[in-house]
Amino acid sequence: MMNASMMISAMDTSLYMDTTTARTLSRSRAGPSAIAKPKFVRFTNSTQTGRNVSKVRWLLDNSYMGVPDPYASEYFVSGSWSSVGDVNDICLWGLDVGPSAKEGEKDSKVTLITKAVVKGNVTDMSVLSGDRFCLCTSDGALYVYKGNKNRDEKFVSVTQAAAGQLFSYRGRNSHATAIAVKDDVIVTGGEDGSIVECNSAGLNVIRRLERVDPLSITTACFVGRNEVMTGNGGGQLKLWDLRNNSNEPVQILNPNVLMNNLYGVSSICQHPSQTHAVIVGYQSGCMDLWDMRLGPECDPIANLAGEGGSLSEIYFHQINSDHFFSCAQSGQVCHWYPGERLSNPLQVPVEYTTDLNIEFLKKGLVFKEVHTSPFPINSMSLSRNDRIVVGSDSGVVFCTEIRV
Amino acid sequence: MGLQTLAFDISGSQVVVTRPNSSELGQLSLKHFADEPFMRNFIVSSAEVFVLAQKQFKSCYPDPVPQTTITALSQMYRGIILELVQNLKDVGDLETASLYSNLDFVWNFCEIIFLSSNPDLPVLPYLIDWVRINFDQSSKILPEVQQELPDLGQQCIDKVWKLIYTHVFHGRTREAAKLLPFVNPRHGNSNSNGTGSSASLKNKIDLMTELLEKKPRYNPRTGSFTDFESSWESWREECVNRLDQRVFYGNEQLTFICHVLCGNDEGFIEARSKNLLTWYEYLVMLINYRFPVVRPSALKGYARKVVTEFGLGDSLEPRDIILFHAMEYDIVNVLKEIQTVWNNPWYSIHFVDLIFAGGKFSEVTDVRIDYSSVPPLRAHFIIDYGTTIMEHKPIWQIGVPYFEALEEPLRRQLIGKCIERINPKTEMEAQKLVQIAGKFNLADELHGICRKVAVDKLQCGQMQNALLWAIKAGDNPLTTHIVDQILFEGDCQIEPSLLESLRNAIPCSDRLVFLSGFCDFRKLMDKHDYPNAVGKLCQLIKEDMIPKRIHHKIIQHLITLAEKNVKFRANETTILMEFVHMQVGLSKITPEDFTRLNVLLVCNRAQEILTMFNNKPFKQ
């Protein structure tokens, strides 16, 4: 059974129209004076890190009170790749937002708080509780860091699992590629198809699934307390139950071959409340919505054709879960949300009697460009204060506000 | 002629000349190249503007990009230069900073000549802006004055006078008028010395303010040129009248200013003797007060005259030479000189691209202006700059949009050559290359990258992953090789679900088709679906795809079938018999197995014949 796919072409530029224009024109001494005033004035901040940014993540905001605070100070970490000498940076940045001298506008400042170096490319990152975060590298190593928001203190590498310990084959280190975190458990996946479960405290290996995927694991995501979903280079999704004794996945979801032939999975993102629903991004630029309850050999519920260019990461908005965000190698950061009218529903397989309460399935999906760059965007992160940070191969980390 | 005598501090009136030699410059650019965040910012931001320019070019094509857009883009580039200058100052590298602020100075002038001004209209308003940006010191002096308010000391008043002079020289008379009240500190102060000078000075200042404020301004976008000319004439007459009426008599400074406003030789000579002017400013003053309707193309004659007056005729700095080339509209020499001096194609590429986008080269109306060399120059500099960036591994992706702006087939050739040099170490890196190669339809490069990853994976013992990449590469021999390895060494271990997706790939190798069929067969066998399994097997035999080395495995399966007493269909028996007798032959099978198979097949055949007879309706 094939799903009819939907091309989403309706682009709404009204909300974020200030993105690029404002930034670039502000450089000129006398830019054209007639820049249309946007409805929602958000801050935008571009900071050059000097390295190709592979991952960015907000640290958990401990002072979050349940309501987004537009003036909260927040912290994020960035990791780089492809630097000269194969030594890469991990940076802790602080974002401060304050009211501007101009009415209704905001000033924002991103400052580098501290920096550490790590060998190999940073391939994935995930935040833990208590200002800690973990990352894995192309050397196959796994690190846990504690970011001290205090400017004077150094970055502390809390623990580190040596490269050889995690992923290696015939004495050669293999690349770690994906990380997933649930409470204090870290699961990493490698290019050799291994999955390793560690605890975050000492990075002791709890479970090792040696080369269980014949292809390389490209991304991982916890979908239950003990269940990890991984995506591989061939576009397959596999669900692993860590309690299970066997080394076999409990469920395999094959990609929609007509859309995703030979393209790998690039991102998996779980719906915040309906946890059996996941949106999966592929290197082909497609996004599929899966209902894991349908069991193996099912088809995606909806196939969302993107704008082209490999997708890098997808995130649901944690509160308003009908909205989600994607960033792609084509340089686009998009905000996806249900359409206004019921005229444009996504086509869902006939036999799927939906009990998935996802609004855009009924109303259709539209998107806005939050940011565009001519260079590939590798990573993004959403904070609880409705900020977004984006890292790209141009070395720029771009922060802005979102409105859902 | 000394080439690099150009780095000087233009913010002050004092000219400080430093002489970096060209190798030093090369070092500088290497030292900073891309590793400092601000240097990378410089490269990335300019690439972003470049991309913006290409977008504009595409959206306007075949018309040229409008002049206002071109000017805005040019200003963005200059903004990037100034950002860099500021950053260099912040890190204490003043030498490089002044080098780049010079670049902005030259860019600014070239922008006026080539991009923003209209060849048929007065160039004056642009020049006023140009000297203001580069020589205005009010941001330095005004805060000092502000501090001393309300009581200004004599020293401070002198400073204010200097500032007023420069404003007047630069043609910014309204700013000068605003400053005039400061030079009469005693006015409004009750304890005046009783000389009465204050009141008369006030009067004079008011008259001067009026003159200064009245000076007509020309707006190149809206103003009529003839209106400007007549209003300027009448304003000048007024100035001359005031001078003749000796209204400023007794005040040396105001008289001097009035002389300047009238464009008198007396005023000009005094202005030069005050040592407050560079020749650039003097040129602008000359045009301001004597020849306000000069067209850009006539600028050169006046500049020559000024330079001779300043005694610089034989010892022009490279920077001045560039300006003269610009006044001649000699774009080739401008770029050549700049390239020699800054040793970095950054300027040339971005500037020539703007001229290209502005489309002036396509409508060469003026024989003196040769724009025909612009397109080839642009291509040349893009190649130069793009290759430089691509060679720096961490930022190779930033070079891509530059090459993208070239024409085919150069575009694909260059991108191909550049990504060929990059060796992907991880799948992520490979994926980035694959994306670029795919975007530009570089089939060969795509093949090469995927093949490399496949070979790497093979070395790591990841057969199936290698297979995936070999198929992505579309490399038939390699795919066959890997499939063979999986078939013969790996005991046909391939994940069914993976096979499922591989099968949907273009079946590029016979072996893959066989592997896929064989795995289907095994799957059916595992499910105990024997009739279909036999069907599948026969299909494989019929298509003659079974490699010889796998024959014994097939025989094993047949024996299993024999043990299960499976019934074959008619044509299947024939195919299998042929297979066992003709293709496999006695030598490969043990006699016992051969007998067993034979028995099975013959029994099947016999049974078929029987059923055939039984079912045949007897004709009576």
Side-chain angles (χ1 to χ4, degrees):
Chain A
M1 223 282 323
M2 249 305 298
N3 291 328
S5 70
M6 273 289 302
M7 285 300 294
I8 295 101
S9 52
M11 201 187 122
D12 183 355
T13 50
S14 57
L15 192 59
Y16 292 113
M17 67 176 305
D18 53 334
T19 327
T20 346
T21 9
R23 175 175 133 68
T24 33
L25 287 179
S26 66
R27 276 210 196 93
S28 64
R29 278 181 187 141
S33 54
I35 300 172
K37 208 169 166 74
K39 283 186 267 176
F40 156 56
V41 186
R42 56 184 185 142
F43 73 85
T44 57
N45 187 301
S46 295
T47 309
Q48 176 60 247
T49 63
R51 310 258 192 204
N52 297 352
V53 181
S54 61
K55 290 289 159 188
V56 282
R57 296 285 181 260
W58 292 106
L59 291 185
L60 292 176
D61 179 11
N62 302 326
S63 60
Y64 179 71
M65 301 298 284
V67 182
D69 174 6
Y71 296 113
S73 289
E74 284 192 277
Y75 299 87
F76 65 92
V77 282
S78 72
S80 76
W81 75 284
S82 182
S83 295
V84 187
D86 211 25
V87 173
N88 283 284
D89 291 346
I90 307 156
C91 303
L92 175 66
W93 305 84
L95 167 73
D96 297 303
V97 182
S100 160
K102 283 187 209 152
E103 179 122 6
E105 289 188 16
K106 291 168 195 155
D107 276 339
S108 61
K109 205 170 128 217
V110 169
T111 37
L112 176 64
I113 293 173
T114 175
K115 194 174 183 176
V117 291
V118 69
K119 204 168 166 295
N121 298 339
V122 175
T123 49
D124 205 357
M125 251 185 192
S126 211
V127 287
L128 297 159
S129 57
D131 291 347
R132 291 178 310 153
F133 60 95
C134 55
L135 57 97
C136 58
T137 68
S138 62
D139 269 22
L142 176 66
Y143 301 84
V144 173
Y145 278 90
K146 186 173 168 62
N148 279 311
K149 292 167 183 173
N150 214 332
R151 218 157 286 247
D152 308 324
E153 288 172 57
K154 277 254 156 64
F155 235 164
V156 189
S157 162
V158 181
T159 34
Q160 157 178 3
Q165 222 180 315
L166 287 176
F167 303 102
S168 63
Y169 179 74
R170 292 181 192 159
R172 259 176 64 171
N173 286 351
S174 182
H175 316 298
T177 49
I179 231 170
V181 164
K182 185 90 183 178
D183 302 328
D184 264 347
V185 174
I186 302 171
V187 165
T188 58
E191 219 173 275
D192 63 353
S194 302
I195 298 172
V196 182
E197 183 190 6
C198 303
N199 63 354
S200 71
L203 287 181
N204 304 316
V205 175
I206 302 169
R207 176 106 199 256
R208 184 191 290 271
L209 297 162
E210 197 77 50
R211 291 172 161 255
V212 284
D213 197 320
L215 302 183
S216 48
I217 289 173
T218 50
T219 178
C221 173
F222 264 97
V223 292
R225 194 184 305 283
N226 293 292
E227 287 154 320
V228 180
M229 184 174 257
T230 61
N232 70 18
Q236 290 176 307
L237 299 168
K238 295 186 181 179
L239 189 64
W240 309 87
D241 191 333
L242 298 171
R243 296 164 297 192
N244 215 331
N245 283 330
S246 84
N247 277 4
E248 296 291 321
V250 290
Q251 194 172 337
I252 298 179
L253 300 170
N254 285 315
N256 179 342
V257 284
L258 289 183
M259 310 288 292
N260 275 308
N261 211 351
L262 295 180
Y263 287 104
V265 178
S266 52
S267 178
I268 303 172
C269 145
Q270 189 187 24
H271 194 282
S273 54
Q274 300 173 63
T275 52
H276 41 78
V278 284
I279 287 190
V280 176
Y282 297 91
Q283 286 163 357
S284 61
C286 290
M287 294 181 282
D288 283 356
L289 177 67
W290 295 86
D291 186 342
M292 285 187 290
R293 294 171 302 180
L294 298 184
E297 316 223 341
C298 67
D299 281 305
I301 299 166
N303 194 285
L304 320 165
E307 287 280 283
S310 170
L311 281 165
S312 301
E313 288 180 4
I314 303 176
Y315 290 98
F316 271 107
H317 190 265
Q318 288 300 309
I319 294 165
N320 202 338
S321 53
D322 281 320
H323 292 237
F324 66 94
F325 294 81
S326 72
C327 62
Q329 294 289 310
S330 60
Q332 279 180 312
V333 181
C334 296
H335 175 176
W336 301 81
Y337 57 99
E340 290 287 314
R341 274 160 285 125
L342 289 160
S343 59
N344 213 10
L346 290 184
Q347 293 181 22
V348 169
V350 229
E351 63 265 43
Y352 180 69
T353 47
T354 174
D355 56 349
L356 213 49
N357 182 20
I358 291 180
E359 207 172 336
F360 60 72
L361 279 178
K362 299 164 207 152
K363 287 187 171 175
L365 198 57
V366 282
F367 75 95
K368 288 165 195 161
E369 269 179 25
V370 180
H371 176 61
T372 35
S373 154
F375 305 108
I377 288 178
N378 295 323
S379 180
M380 64 184 250
S381 185
L382 284 171
S383 84
R384 290 199 273 198
N385 290 316
D386 279 352
R387 273 101 173 241
I388 198 167
V389 59
V390 167
S392 86
D393 276 340
S394 61
V396 171
V397 284
F398 173 83
C399 299
T400 188
E401 255 173 309
I402 50 172
R403 198 162 71 161
V404 292
Chain B
M1 154 139 305
L3 257 181
Q4 271 76 27
T5 55
L6 46 89
F8 84 131
D9 178 17
I10 29 187
S11 58
S13 53
Q14 213 62 355
V15 177
V16 184
V17 180
T18 53
R19 294 167 183 267
N21 61 40
S22 63
S23 69
E24 236 176 286
L25 282 178
Q27 289 293 316
L28 279 174
S29 61
L30 273 183
K31 186 177 88 187
H32 290 299
F33 207 70
D35 290 334
E36 287 286 344
F38 66 80
M39 202 62 201
R40 193 187 171 114
N41 184 32
F42 177 65
I43 294 166
V44 168
S45 311
S46 44
E48 279 171 1
V49 179
F50 184 80
V51 170
L52 204 62
Q54 303 315 308
K55 260 189 209 153
Q56 291 289 343
F57 181 70
K58 265 189 209 136
S59 68
C60 294
Y61 192 81
D63 294 326
V65 181
Q67 203 178 25
T68 43
T69 316
I70 293 278
T71 314
L73 286 168
S74 167
Q75 281 166 344
M76 284 183 205
Y77 282 125
R78 274 171 44 218
I80 294 167
I81 300 179
L82 293 177
E83 214 174 310
L84 176 72
V85 169
Q86 195 49 50
N87 284 320
L88 283 165
K89 277 184 188 156
D90 290 347
V91 295
D93 191 347
L94 296 179
E95 199 174 301
T96 325
S98 68
L99 204 67
Y100 278 95
S101 60
N102 269 287
L103 184 63
D104 176 57
F105 179 75
V106 173
W107 179 300
N108 195 176
F109 190 78
C110 291
E111 176 190 304
I112 293 170
I113 298 288
F114 292 105
L115 305 175
S116 56
S117 72
N118 187 330
D120 299 324
L121 293 176
V123 69
L124 179 63
Y126 302 98
L127 291 178
I128 292 179
D129 240 15
W130 176 58
V131 288
R132 174 184 62 82
I133 289 168
N134 290 294
F135 299 99
D136 185 27
Q137 293 179 55
S138 46
S139 60
K140 210 169 106 193
I141 294 177
L142 278 184
E144 293 175 27
V145 176
Q146 218 100 60
Q147 262 185 351
E148 288 204 30
L149 279 177
D151 257 336
L152 292 184
Q154 190 54 44
Q155 224 179 358
C156 203
I157 289 176
D158 287 348
K159 271 187 196 159
V160 177
W161 272 119
K162 264 187 192 171
L163 198 56
I164 292 170
Y165 290 158
T166 39
H167 279 325
V168 171
F169 298 157
H170 294 175
R172 299 170 63 238
T173 48
R174 279 159 191 79
E175 280 78 359
K178 273 181 210 146
L179 288 173
L180 273 179
F182 287 115
V183 297
N184 186 17
R186 274 158 293 199
H187 174 68
N189 218 343
S190 50
N191 57 343
S192 64
N193 298 358
T195 53
S197 70
S198 168
S200 77
L201 184 59
K202 163 117 182 36
N203 191 23
K204 284 172 190 164
I205 285 175
D206 286 347
L207 283 168
M208 181 48 89
T209 309
E210 191 198 338
L211 273 187
L212 289 174
E213 274 174 354
K214 263 193 185 160
K215 181 176 178 264
R217 271 187 298 197
Y218 174 63
N219 184 337
R221 294 223 182 94
T222 54
S224 145
F225 154 57
T226 38
D227 282 356
F228 169 69
E229 210 171 4
S230 61
S231 60
W232 188 81
E233 279 301 341
S234 58
W235 172 77
R236 186 161 179 247
E237 228 163 74
E238 203 180 327
C239 294
V240 173
N241 281 340
R242 296 275 186 222
L243 197 64
D244 290 346
Q245 292 159 6
R246 295 159 66 96
V247 288
F248 303 116
Y249 184 73
N251 187 308
E252 179 194 337
Q253 292 99 335
L254 290 177
T255 319
F256 163 59
I257 290 176
C258 197
H259 274 299
V260 173
L261 294 186
C262 298
N264 285 347
D265 277 340
E266 206 178 332
F268 278 28
I269 290 166
E270 198 184 337
R272 268 189 54 201
S273 70
K274 283 196 185 295
N275 244 347
L276 289 173
L277 284 166
T278 57
W279 76 262
Y280 318 99
E281 292 166 283
Y282 189 78
L283 173 69
V284 175
M285 182 170 83
L286 190 73
I287 291 170
N288 250 314
Y289 300 107
R290 273 199 205 160
F291 315 102
V293 291
V294 159
R295 312 291 194 280
S297 51
L299 212 52
K300 200 192 160 205
Y302 300 103
R304 279 261 165 257
K305 203 175 136 219
V306 169
V307 166
T308 327
E309 269 182 53
F310 271 68
L312 292 168
D314 302 324
S315 56
L316 280 179
E317 289 178 22
R319 189 183 48 169
D320 302 339
I321 296 173
I322 297 168
L323 296 192
F324 272 104
H325 283 312
M327 289 183 232
E328 284 168 19
Y329 286 92
D330 184 353
I331 182 68
V332 180
N333 269 320
V334 168
L335 295 176
K336 205 170 99 188
E337 290 288 327
I338 289 183
Q339 183 82 344
T340 338
V341 171
W342 273 273
N343 203 9
N344 184 341
W346 187 89
Y347 169 89
S348 321
I349 154 109
H350 293 117
F351 193 77
V352 91
D353 180 61
L354 286 181
I355 296 185
F356 179 79
K360 274 195 183 165
F361 64 93
S362 61
E363 33 164 284
V364 187
T365 48
D366 196 329
V367 268
R368 288 168 305 163
I369 307 172
D370 177 23
Y371 279 118
S372 60
S373 47
V374 165
L377 272 175
R378 174 177 175 268
H380 168 82
F381 286 123
I382 287 181
I383 296 170
D384 192 358
Y385 187 68
T387 326
T388 318
I389 287 194
M390 283 275 207
E391 272 167 7
H392 202 76
K393 196 186 146 218
I395 53 167
W396 68 268
Q397 293 175 89
I398 294 164
V400 176
Y402 286 97
F403 287 150
E404 204 182 337
L406 288 171
E407 300 281 321
E408 291 292 10
L410 210 50
R411 175 191 326 180
R412 288 179 51 198
Q413 279 171 9
L414 280 164
I415 295 178
K417 281 270 170 294
C418 281
I419 63 176
E420 200 180 276
R421 281 202 295 259
I422 300 159
N423 210 359
K425 274 190 287 185
T426 64
E427 279 191 29
M428 175 202 171
E429 285 173 50
Q431 199 59 44
K432 298 224 179 234
L433 292 169
V434 165
Q435 289 246 315
I436 301 282
K439 187 175 168 192
F440 295 99
N441 283 327
L442 298 162
D444 282 354
E445 302 309 324
L446 202 68
H447 185 162
I449 300 156
C450 294
R451 191 172 191 283
K452 198 231 162 223
V453 180
V455 172
D456 281 358
K457 294 291 161 198
L458 210 53
Q459 272 177 357
C460 294
Q462 282 184 275
M463 298 281 189
Q464 301 184 38
N465 206 354
L467 182 60
L468 176 76
W469 282 93
I471 294 172
K472 275 191 191 181
D475 189 319
N476 283 344
L478 185 65
T479 313
T480 314
H481 172 75
I482 298 171
V483 172
D484 279 357
Q485 283 210 339
I486 294 175
L487 277 174
F488 307 132
E489 289 165 29
D491 195 26
C492 307
Q493 276 303 318
I494 184 157
E495 207 186 343
S497 49
L498 169 64
L499 192 70
E500 194 75 26
S501 22
L502 290 186
R503 204 192 334 230
N504 291 297
I506 314 129
C508 53
S509 132
D510 288 350
R511 284 293 153 77
L512 185 64
V513 179
F514 169 70
L515 179 63
S516 138
F518 188 59
C519 284
D520 276 352
F521 166 70
R522 281 173 38 138
K523 207 155 115 192
L524 291 167
M525 289 289 283
D526 288 347
K527 282 190 192 164
H528 305 293
D529 182 0
Y530 299 117
N532 281 331
V534 174
K536 190 83 210 170
L537 182 63
C538 290
Q539 194 194 337
L540 289 175
I541 296 170
K542 230 163 58 187
E543 281 165 13
D544 194 20
M545 282 194 303
I546 302 180
K548 283 219 167 62
R549 284 201 277 169
I550 217 86
H551 281 169
H552 66 281
K553 280 186 185 163
I554 305 275
I555 297 292
Q556 289 303 320
H557 281 296
L558 278 176
I559 290 166
T560 325
L561 286 171
E563 282 163 1
K564 309 274 179 202
N565 272 327
V566 181
K567 303 271 181 304
F568 302 140
R569 281 176 286 256
N571 56 341
E572 286 171 358
T573 321
T574 325
I575 293 168
L576 289 174
M577 275 178 139
E578 254 178 40
F579 176 72
V580 173
H581 288 267
M582 315 288 281
Q583 290 190 21
V584 182
L586 265 170
S587 55
K588 298 269 175 64
I589 325 175
T590 55
E592 295 155 31
D593 286 349
F594 190 74
T595 326
R596 278 169 71 186
L597 275 180
N598 237 352
V599 169
L600 171 80
L601 290 167
V602 171
C603 281
N604 257 291
R605 170 51 50 93
Q607 228 160 24
E608 270 162 37
I609 297 170
L610 274 180
T611 17
M612 216 156 73
F613 272 113
N614 287 344
N615 292 349
K616 211 169 191 175
F618 289 100
K619 282 178 188 165
Q620 306 235 312

